[in-house]
Amino acid sequence: MAPLALVVAGFLVYSVPPYLTLDPAQSRVPAPAGFAAHYWFLVAHITFGTIAIVGVVLQIWPWLRRTHPVVHRRVGRVYVFAGALPSAVMAGIIGAVSPFGPVVGALDVVAALLWLGFTLAGWRAIRQRRYADHRKWMVRSFAMTMNTLMSRALSPIAFLLVMPRVEDKEELILTAGTLSAVLSVLSLLLLSQWWLDRKPATAR
């Protein structure tokens, strides 16, 4: 939990401050032509996303789940309704008009829909007291919560892979961004499924 919390904290310290000023000029995502409200959808996505990523770290903390189940349930409601669901909706909207090309835009929309679907399925399962199904869906929801963080982490690798083959700077950025987005979604889906399918070690 400690390494994960440190990575998430570092990601938030790097990503969030430029948007606290509410100054569109400091946005790291260029606004697409013809969509004047893009910046405010982006700010909303980041605000709800910050709640989601902090909430989900608390949710997967085994100690908190075991010793404080009431806190786990309350944080879970915050994660679902004040974090993941609204952030996923905002992500789908800004992804549909992504300035980073149609492939990245399509992947952003797909990732947003997966995040939305996994979270709703997890919430529905716990309401029906299907605890095993709830755990599975929320592991997948956690994976999609980490999508932006993972894509940023994979960006340097994508640049190193693409750089020898692409000379134009703009094309390099778009190609590397596309590659990191693809690798992020695929790796998170595969890792989450591996985690669910793995066999626990035999107890001594």
Side-chain angles (χ1 to χ4, degrees):
M1 289 305 302
L4 176 62
L6 287 173
V7 169
V8 168
F11 171 71
L12 293 177
V13 167
Y14 169 77
S15 301
V16 173
Y19 300 95
L20 296 177
T21 62
L22 301 181
D23 180 8
Q26 296 191 37
S27 175
R28 293 194 175 107
V29 181
F35 188 25
H38 176 268
Y39 177 75
W40 302 110
F41 278 94
L42 179 62
V43 169
H45 165 64
I46 291 169
T47 301
F48 293 127
T50 300
I51 295 172
I53 200 169
V54 172
V56 83
V57 169
L58 293 174
Q59 286 302 90
I60 66 168
W61 190 5
W63 176 84
L64 185 68
R65 290 201 312 272
R66 287 194 307 266
T67 59
H68 299 285
V70 174
V71 174
H72 175 74
R73 289 195 294 271
R74 290 176 178 173
V75 173
R77 294 188 189 103
V78 173
Y79 166 73
V80 170
F81 296 108
L85 295 185
S87 186
V89 171
M90 297 298 111
I93 293 172
I94 61 179
V97 293
S98 174
F100 300 115
V103 177
V104 173
L107 282 168
D108 286 345
V109 172
V110 168
L113 292 174
L114 289 173
W115 193 15
L116 195 67
F118 292 160
T119 306
L120 286 173
W123 173 255
R124 184 169 179 267
I126 198 63
R127 296 293 294 173
Q128 297 174 349
R129 299 184 182 277
R130 293 184 286 112
Y131 299 108
D133 289 339
H134 168 72
R135 175 179 173 271
K136 291 177 182 178
W137 287 119
M138 296 313 285
V139 165
R140 297 180 180 117
S141 177
F142 161 76
M144 288 298 99
T145 305
M146 296 293 158
N147 183 43
T148 301
L149 189 157
M150 178 67 86
S151 65
R152 298 298 184 274
L154 292 174
S155 290
I157 299 174
F159 270 99
L160 289 175
L161 292 173
V162 172
M163 198 176 297
R165 298 170 177 81
V166 180
E167 294 183 0
D168 182 73
K169 183 178 179 181
E170 184 175 347
E171 184 181 353
L172 172 64
I173 293 172
L174 288 176
T175 306
T178 301
L179 181 59
S180 62
V182 171
L183 291 175
S184 176
V185 173
L186 289 178
S187 62
L188 287 168
L189 290 174
L190 291 171
L191 284 170
S192 60
Q193 194 58 45
W194 168 81
W195 179 267
L196 293 173
D197 291 341
R198 80 197 195 289
K199 294 180 179 180
T202 303
R204 292 184 179 177

